Amino acid sequence: MKTEHPRIPTCTYRLQFNRWFTFSQAREIVPYLDALGISDVYASPYFQASPDSLHGYDITDHNKLNGAIGSREDYEAWVGELHAHAMGQILDFVPNHVGIAEPLNEWWMDVLENGPSSRYAPYFDIDWQPLKSDLRDKVLLPILSDQYGRVLERGELQVRFEEGTFYLLYGERRLPIAPGTYRYVLEIGLHNLSEHKEEDFYAELQSILTALEYLPKRTETDPKRIAERIREKEIIKRRLERRCAEAPQVQQAIEKALVQINGEPGDPRSFDALDQLLNAQSYRLAFWRVAAEEINYRRFFDVNDLAAIRVELPRVFDAIHRLVLELVNEGAVTGLRIDHPDGLYLPREYFEKLQQRCAKALGVGLPKDGRAIYMLAEKILTGSESLRKDWRVHGTTGYDFANQVAQLFVDSSAEPAITKTFHRIIGHSVPFGHLLYAKKLQVMKLSLANDVDVLGNLLDRLSEQNRWYRDFTLEALSRAVRETIACFPVYRTYLAPGQPVTEEDRQIVERAIAAAKRRNPAMEESVLNFLRDVLLFRFPPNLDAKARAEHTNFVLKFQQATGPIMAKGLEDTVFYIYNRLAALNEVGGEPQQFGLNVAAFHERNIDRQHNWPASLLATSTHDTKRSEDVRARIVAISEIPELWRRSLQRWRAATRRWKRTINDVEAPDANEEYLLYQTLLGTWPMQPNGEPETTATPDYTERIQAYMAKALHEAKLNTSWIQPNEEWDTAMRDFVMKILDSSPRNKFIPAFIPVAKEIARLGAVNSLAQLLLKLTSPGVPDIYQGNEIWDYSLVDPDNRRPVDYNRHRETLESLATANAHDLVRDWADGRIKMFLTQRVSQFRRKHTELFQYGEYLPLTPSGTFAECCVSFAREREDQWIIVIAPRLSSHVGFPPIGESWKDTIVELPETLPLAHAHDLFTCRPIPVQGRRVKLADAMSTLPFAVITNL
């Protein structure tokens, strides 16, 4: 397949690879995706990871394919099928961390075996000299299900011996034993062989013990001594294996020693030797709940099994990019999506280096703009924040668009009524800013405490270097760090060594410091001023080069920490508490904002066209809290505020008897119940005839129970992952089961069904409109697997269920004989969504330049329902399209077609040649009178319109 670089997709399709969706299965659906109008597959990570991984982000080796997904031959067959259909592939690449739960991760296993002397120790961000002396030169491993002593004395930790190597077994987890500590077992084994002192194997075992004494220590960092250790420890293992094979008595003596060391449950003292052995390792085993306070390796957020790697080091960069650059060179990968760039030490430098390496792999010169390959950054933007223009990428992964288009369908006039209802139900007001501040502080206390403690200690060391600041206490400095991070308005800043501080970064830091001062009037301002100056590279003039490097390192570490704290505080906590309108609680969302007017939506599109015309446009992803169709339904609640208020009263009255009282509090509480009803409206199944199902299936009930369990644990109010409240969890699970019970005694479902019907209709119109806007706005539209028809999935793992592609293929084939009238009448079967997807995606693929380079012209409707639609033109030379999408359709009626639009019109730009103007979907001519198009004509049969002269 001949490809120009960079290859800009016209429409992407996200596939989630795992052992239940393989390369071979992906190959089978390529013709279907091609017929759908897809230009490029957007693949989840498929490098070696845990065999059971649903997502692929727990990579254990960046240079191997995941065998559970398929072989290299399977992979190449899939790529060959893509090329046969002139399709490209964007790969989701993970440079920030690796999975460490599996022994497949050779780097991590080597670190656990050899400690600081491991050749891979520098690859990880490990603090080998933490404040806690017991952790010096060790890695804390919080993997135990209970306190260490209890796990030890229950006999759950067992040392095993195979092929000359000792290892520790905990459940299914296998951990290495440091070779220098083999003597703890071998000395007992030697004693067990005392009656064989004259045998050669006895002397050989003595010799092995002597070799172990001279083995360089695991704390060695001198390269020569490390090389010696690497060589000698393997020789010792081979000698031991050979001696056991040649002399069964040695094997038996070792096994007998292990029985003694592994202890006997019920006899605590029998575990002393094992305890001594484990204390001599390069890791310290611990109860998983202590991770927040003492863990000494940087993680992906607070996930203990995902360890951050230092990709800023040249050898680490080279090590993890070998295979991906090989795939780029072969043309198998034509674009890259970079996961979590905010976790990188220097994101801008990373993108520049990767683009340079991709140019080399492609055998092309680096373009003037520094972008050799299509590249996307998974960057979450907040508020007015924009993507950094010096990043050598083509845009974001589309969360920003998803939130803009969702806000567009919110009826902002309903904000007072919806807010009043929310506050009345939960019994108090919830100022969003205060809530976010409090939850970020909570995250820093509960799950990322050590990350912040490290920053406090680093800042303390910096203050000690200067007589002006040395009187600042560690507690005051640590508090300044916490308060500043809690007040940080964005995920992170991007200061870099040797580079001037940008005005954007300066304003972010100044805002955070000002907010911290305002929230802490009793705090000494000079401490916060000191932190501000450090964060803005305002170094005291007397600093030497070493001190400047330490200051710089603090700033870069600080930048890596603010993103995870924002994500855990906002996305994984506040978004499950601030439930005023849950559809707005989305990655990168701002639920405190209630609606986006049409003019502002146009401004966002114009800005994207000028600055990031190839940025991805997403509405559903593997990370969204709910699917695009669920979101489209829930935002429709804003159109029926009075019905919503009355319905809540009826529903709560009907379900009150199924609540429990736990410690004098109703379970579930009012806020949890409020979220549940929104979730039911967003996901309630529909019959093909457009009527809601009258009963909930067991599968549906289980899905809602699972979702609510996750929501409650993430909210961390009445239960949590760290401290589960089983009584509360059970109360929520039983409540869902009872309100969804099909018994005639259940009064909830009959009261719920009429509202579900209304919301489903409004949501379907919203969903079709947002799909049309995604497919025609500046940028590259992305379709998440299965979302080409209605998909009412919730947060992961619900959105990673298998897709029935046989059914999808049949639906696509049926569109060949479908007519617009039938599609609208049978809207609930999902064909109308696939019809819209296919027609516009194929049109985009055929008219690439119109969408990549065409001017974006906002149009202003007029008439009775002018506020109930959004319209714009895309124009390039004599080619053009006019897009008309409904919004706030409850005012127009269902379906919003034909004369329902009354006198509403759109006036077309003077620049458009109007000859051959016709409807893209039906090919019928569209009447244009004085450059005016009536919406009654444009949407005479379908609840959306694309008019074109092509």
Side-chain angles (χ1 to χ4, degrees):
M1 182 180 73
K2 188 175 181 181
T3 301
E4 291 187 9
H5 302 290
R7 172 196 167 96
I8 307 297
T10 63
C11 184
T12 64
Y13 189 96
R14 172 78 177 201
L15 290 176
Q16 291 296 123
F17 284 98
N18 50 59
R19 69 185 308 166
W20 296 279
F21 186 79
T22 64
F23 296 135
S24 296
Q25 289 167 291
R27 180 188 179 189
E28 291 174 3
I29 67 167
V30 169
Y32 160 76
L33 296 178
D34 180 51
L36 192 61
I38 304 302
S39 69
D40 294 68
V41 164
Y42 171 21
S44 69
Y46 48 61
F47 293 151
Q48 180 178 281
S50 168
D52 293 327
S53 177
L54 282 174
H55 48 78
Y57 289 99
D58 50 346
I59 292 174
T60 56
D61 191 329
H62 283 77
N63 296 307
K64 294 178 183 176
L65 295 176
N66 189 337
I69 297 173
S71 65
R72 187 63 182 256
E73 291 73 22
D74 297 330
Y75 177 79
E76 290 174 353
W78 169 55
V79 171
E81 189 73 11
L82 289 174
H83 289 179
H85 290 81
M87 295 172 68
Q89 181 208 160
I90 299 165
L91 172 61
D92 192 341
F93 187 75
V94 186
N96 181 68
H97 60 265
V98 291
I100 58 173
E102 297 285 332
L104 292 171
N105 190 322
E106 295 176 5
W107 294 356
W108 187 250
M109 290 299 108
D110 197 83
V111 169
L112 297 185
E113 182 182 56
N114 300 296
S117 70
S118 168
R119 75 187 97 176
Y120 302 114
Y123 287 32
F124 296 93
D125 212 344
I126 301 170
D127 181 5
W128 293 107
Q129 300 297 320
L131 286 179
K132 184 167 182 172
S133 59
D134 290 340
L135 279 173
R136 300 283 169 87
D137 298 319
K138 291 176 179 282
V139 176
L140 184 78
L141 278 191
I143 63 173
L144 303 181
S145 62
D146 201 347
Q147 299 290 342
Y148 166 74
R150 296 173 186 167
V151 172
L152 178 76
E153 292 179 14
R154 286 200 296 259
E156 295 176 21
L157 300 169
Q158 296 284 295
V159 180
R160 296 283 188 265
F161 178 71
E162 287 180 13
E163 299 175 350
T165 302
F166 291 96
Y167 63 91
L168 181 68
L169 198 63
Y170 174 58
E172 295 182 357
R173 200 148 186 166
R174 180 169 169 160
L175 302 173
I177 295 293
T181 64
Y182 284 12
R183 60 184 178 82
Y184 286 88
V185 182
L186 296 182
E187 285 174 353
I188 298 174
L190 189 67
H191 177 73
N192 293 338
L193 291 171
S194 57
E195 61 187 49
H196 300 286
K197 287 183 179 180
E198 304 304 319
E199 300 288 346
D200 288 346
F201 59 74
Y202 186 90
E204 177 71 6
L205 193 55
Q206 284 182 313
S207 174
I208 289 173
L209 280 165
T210 302
L212 287 172
E213 288 181 22
Y214 288 95
L215 187 70
K217 304 301 182 188
R218 59 180 177 79
T219 53
E220 289 283 357
T221 54
D222 178 73
K224 290 184 179 178
R225 294 286 284 166
I226 289 176
E228 180 185 345
R229 176 183 171 87
I230 293 171
R231 181 185 68 246
E232 295 302 320
K233 71 181 180 68
E234 295 305 316
I235 291 173
I236 291 170
K237 290 177 186 178
R238 289 196 297 271
R239 287 178 64 190
L240 192 55
E241 179 185 15
R242 187 169 57 250
R243 183 48 57 194
C244 287
E246 293 173 354
Q249 298 94 327
V250 175
Q251 177 78 31
Q252 292 164 8
I254 290 174
E255 290 174 354
K256 185 178 178 182
L258 288 178
V259 170
Q260 181 179 337
I261 282 182
N262 283 328
E264 183 68 34
D267 180 6
R269 300 315 302 264
S270 68
F271 292 95
D272 288 354
L274 179 56
D275 181 41
Q276 188 180 15
L277 171 63
L278 295 180
N279 286 333
Q281 300 309 307
S282 299
Y283 50 84
R284 177 186 172 99
L285 297 172
F287 187 23
W288 68 269
R289 289 182 182 172
V290 309
E293 297 177 7
E294 294 189 345
I295 201 159
N296 61 332
Y297 60 90
R298 188 166 62 86
R299 301 162 292 173
F300 172 75
F301 293 4
D302 60 349
V303 183
N304 297 336
D305 286 340
L306 297 178
I309 52 176
R310 301 180 63 196
V311 74
E312 68 272 14
L313 300 180
R315 54 179 160 162
V316 180
F317 183 98
D318 293 343
I320 70 168
H321 290 88
R322 283 199 302 271
L323 178 55
V324 72
L325 290 173
E326 178 186 321
L327 298 178
V328 168
N329 169 262
E330 294 172 355
V333 169
T334 55
L336 292 169
R337 179 255 201 201
I338 303 303
D339 181 66
H340 189 46
D342 277 353
L344 300 175
Y345 200 62
L346 295 166
R348 181 177 64 84
E349 285 77 357
Y350 172 80
F351 289 125
E352 286 182 358
K353 187 171 184 177
L354 185 54
Q355 287 285 9
Q356 291 167 1
R357 294 296 180 87
C358 285
K360 184 177 179 181
L362 291 167
V364 300
L366 189 67
K368 289 183 179 179
D369 68 357
R371 297 170 174 88
I373 193 171
Y374 183 65
M375 193 176 294
L376 299 166
E378 190 218 10
K379 169 60 188 165
I380 300 168
L381 303 169
T382 59
S384 60
E385 184 185 15
S386 57
L387 190 62
R388 299 300 170 108
K389 292 184 179 179
D390 58 355
W391 283 14
R392 301 306 181 211
V393 298
H394 291 85
T396 71
T397 52
Y399 299 132
D400 42 346
F401 178 81
N403 287 291
Q404 291 161 15
V405 77
Q407 290 275 6
L408 180 67
F409 295 105
V410 174
D411 189 340
S412 57
S413 68
E415 181 173 14
I418 295 290
T419 303
K420 184 177 180 180
T421 297
F422 178 47
H423 290 166
R424 181 176 292 170
I425 292 291
I426 66 174
H428 58 88
S429 62
V430 186
F432 183 83
H434 292 320
L435 181 63
L436 178 57
Y437 166 78
K439 295 309 172 184
K440 288 175 74 176
L441 285 175
Q442 182 187 50
V443 164
M444 285 185 273
K445 181 180 179 181
L446 294 181
S447 57
L448 293 168
N450 189 65
D451 301 63
V452 181
D453 289 344
V454 167
L455 292 173
N457 289 320
L458 288 175
L459 189 62
D460 182 55
R461 292 177 203 168
L462 299 183
S463 73
E464 290 291 340
Q465 296 172 1
N466 193 300
R467 58 178 174 264
W468 292 356
Y469 311 119
R470 73 178 194 181
D471 288 345
F472 295 154
T473 66
L474 173 60
E475 170 55 32
L477 292 166
S478 296
R479 185 180 175 196
V481 169
R482 288 194 301 271
E483 291 294 327
T484 301
I485 293 176
C487 294
F488 230 65
V490 296
Y491 279 69
R492 68 166 280 178
T493 50
Y494 298 96
L495 281 76
Q499 300 292 324
V501 178
T502 66
E503 180 61 18
E504 187 174 1
D505 284 333
R506 186 194 66 76
Q507 289 183 12
I508 290 168
V509 172
E510 296 277 11
R511 280 176 61 194
I513 295 292
K517 289 178 178 179
R518 190 169 60 251
R519 289 189 179 275
N520 298 274
M523 192 172 179
E524 173 60 50
E525 277 199 10
S526 59
V527 180
L528 287 165
N529 290 340
F530 169 62
L531 176 57
R532 176 200 61 202
D533 291 345
V534 171
L535 291 177
L536 293 176
F537 283 169
R538 295 172 184 167
F539 302 137
N542 59 340
L543 287 188
D544 58 21
K546 180 175 181 294
R548 282 176 173 266
E550 290 174 352
H551 275 67
T552 300
N553 181 59
F554 169 81
V555 174
L556 299 184
K557 290 288 187 185
F558 181 93
Q559 292 183 151
Q560 285 180 298
T562 56
I565 292 166
M566 174 71 94
K568 296 302 296 182
L570 179 63
E571 298 168 34
D572 293 346
T573 307
V574 172
F575 280 176
Y576 290 95
I577 299 173
Y578 191 81
N579 295 317
R580 180 176 65 169
L581 192 61
L584 305 182
N585 297 1
E586 201 47 83
V587 180
E590 295 182 81
Q592 75 275 25
Q593 176 184 329
F594 202 86
L596 183 75
N597 63 44
V598 174
F601 178 75
H602 286 316
E603 288 174 10
R604 305 292 200 284
N605 275 352
I606 291 169
D607 178 75
R608 192 181 317 105
Q609 179 64 22
H610 287 164
N611 295 307
W612 303 101
S615 189
L616 209 64
L617 307 179
T619 42
S620 281
T621 77
H622 62 288
D623 270 340
T624 43
K625 304 297 183 187
R626 48 193 59 81
S627 75
E628 59 194 43
D629 297 327
V630 174
R631 200 179 311 120
R633 281 187 180 183
I634 294 177
V635 294
I637 291 173
S638 69
E639 299 185 53
I640 54 166
E642 183 58 25
L643 176 59
W644 173 239
R645 182 188 65 80
R646 293 197 313 268
S647 298
L648 284 170
Q649 291 175 340
R650 287 198 302 271
W651 299 341
R652 297 188 78 209
T655 60
R656 184 165 290 123
R657 62 194 174 112
W658 290 314
K659 289 194 171 190
R660 293 186 191 175
T661 300
I662 300 175
N663 297 328
D664 300 323
V665 179
E666 278 192 340
D669 70 22
N671 194 20
E672 294 162 353
E673 192 179 1
Y674 193 85
L675 173 62
L676 172 60
Y677 295 138
Q678 291 183 74
T679 303
L680 293 176
L681 287 175
T683 58
W684 194 261
M686 302 296 291
Q687 300 175 50
N689 64 2
E691 293 294 323
E693 294 286 357
T694 56
T695 58
T697 65
D699 177 68
Y700 178 77
T701 300
E702 288 176 11
R703 286 178 55 217
I704 299 300
Q705 288 172 323
Y707 170 75
M708 291 306 300
K710 180 167 184 173
L712 268 58
H713 284 82
E714 296 286 16
K716 306 171 192 65
L717 293 175
N718 298 307
T719 185
S720 69
W721 300 116
I722 295 176
Q723 204 70 265
N725 183 336
E726 293 182 7
E727 191 176 5
W728 198 281
D729 295 340
T730 300
M732 182 77 250
R733 184 173 181 83
D734 291 348
F735 184 76
V736 171
M737 180 179 66
K738 287 173 181 175
I739 71 170
L740 297 183
D741 183 60
S742 58
S743 166
R745 296 177 59 249
N746 183 1
K747 305 302 182 186
F748 168 71
I749 289 182
F752 174 79
I753 291 296
V755 186
K757 180 176 180 179
E758 176 68 9
I759 286 293
R761 288 179 164 189
L762 296 175
V765 175
N766 284 345
S767 191
L768 293 171
Q770 79 175 351
L771 173 59
L772 177 59
L773 295 175
K774 177 174 71 173
L775 292 170
T776 54
S777 291
V780 176
D782 174 57
I783 297 165
Y784 183 70
Q785 61 176 31
N787 277 243
E788 58 270 33
I789 62 172
W790 304 131
D791 181 90
Y792 300 110
S793 295
L794 293 162
V795 73
D796 69 278
D798 194 56
N799 62 4
R800 293 170 187 170
R801 289 171 295 152
V803 177
D804 185 352
Y805 282 109
N806 289 329
R807 176 191 164 209
H808 283 48
R809 192 180 291 109
E810 291 170 1
T811 301
L812 185 64
E813 292 169 355
S814 74
L815 294 181
T817 57
N819 63 68
H821 173 77
D822 292 345
L823 292 175
V824 173
R825 182 195 65 204
D826 301 330
W827 64 270
D829 65 15
R831 287 184 302 151
I832 190 169
K833 188 179 183 186
M834 183 176 280
F835 171 80
L836 173 57
T837 301
Q838 183 196 39
R839 292 297 190 272
V840 181
S841 297
Q842 288 184 340
F843 185 81
R844 279 186 65 100
R845 193 167 60 183
K846 187 175 180 181
H847 303 285
T848 303
E849 292 192 351
L850 172 63
F851 289 93
Q852 281 190 13
Y853 309 113
E855 189 176 356
Y856 181 91
L857 304 172
L859 303 182
T860 306
S862 59
T864 303
F865 296 121
E867 291 298 313
C868 296
C869 65
V870 55
S871 182
F872 56 83
R874 303 295 306 275
E875 177 189 16
R876 179 171 170 79
E877 298 173 348
D878 291 335
Q879 300 182 343
W880 56 266
I881 62 167
I882 301 292
V883 176
I884 306 173
R887 63 186 288 266
L888 313 183
S889 66
S890 62
H891 302 289
V892 182
F894 183 85
I897 59 175
E899 294 305 319
S900 300
W901 287 98
K902 297 185 178 179
D903 62 346
T904 313
I905 62 166
V906 169
E907 189 154 346
L908 308 187
E910 293 288 340
T911 56
L912 302 189
L914 298 182
H916 310 298
H918 64 277
D919 174 53
L920 172 65
F921 303 105
T922 63
C923 297
R924 61 185 175 81
I926 298 294
V928 180
Q929 298 176 343
R931 293 200 163 268
R932 293 180 174 180
V933 172
K934 290 183 178 181
L935 267 63
D937 292 329
M939 294 193 281
S940 62
T941 55
L942 292 167
F944 47 79
V946 174
I947 306 169
T948 183
N949 67 340
L950 297 171

